[in-house]
Amino acid sequence: MPMTIRFVRFATPRTMTADAYREFCWGVSLPETPTGYGLLCGHDDAGQLGTAVLDDVEYARLLTHSGGVEVPTEKVVAVLDDWPNLHAEATSVWD
């Protein structure tokens, strides 16, 4: 899905509580890893929200400072239909 990236977030053991990270991984059917995942949150041409999940956190970190970059499909390990809620006060990642 071609997507305009609005912002980049991170789902990692360092940026989330253990329970929230475990819930995120469970919700996207991905294994827990020591480095976690980079999340490219954006929308398609029709305005539909979506999140591309990358297993290369450092590559995702580079994208926070880049605009108009096309992400190679081999970097994307999952695509979500919405944006996960990663705010510390959230009761669930999927609120």
Side-chain angles (χ1 to χ4, degrees), residues 9-16 21 24-25 33 35-39 57 86:
R9 294 290 185 263
F10 301 94
T12 73
R14 294 178 63 187
T15 61
M16 304 173 80
Y21 179 64
F24 171 82
C25 291
T33 68
T35 56
Y37 299 94
L39 310 174
V57 173
L86 300 179

Side-chain angles (χ1 to χ4, degrees), residues 6 8-9 12-14 17 23-24 28 31 38 46 50 54 59 62 64 67 72 78 80-81 87-88 91 93:
R6 298 287 307 273
V8 179
R9 294 290 185 263
T12 73
R14 294 178 63 187
T17 67
E23 180 186 356
F24 171 82
V28 294
L54 310 182
Y59 185 79
L62 288 172
T64 61
L80 312 177
D81 290 333
H87 294 99
T91 57
V93 174

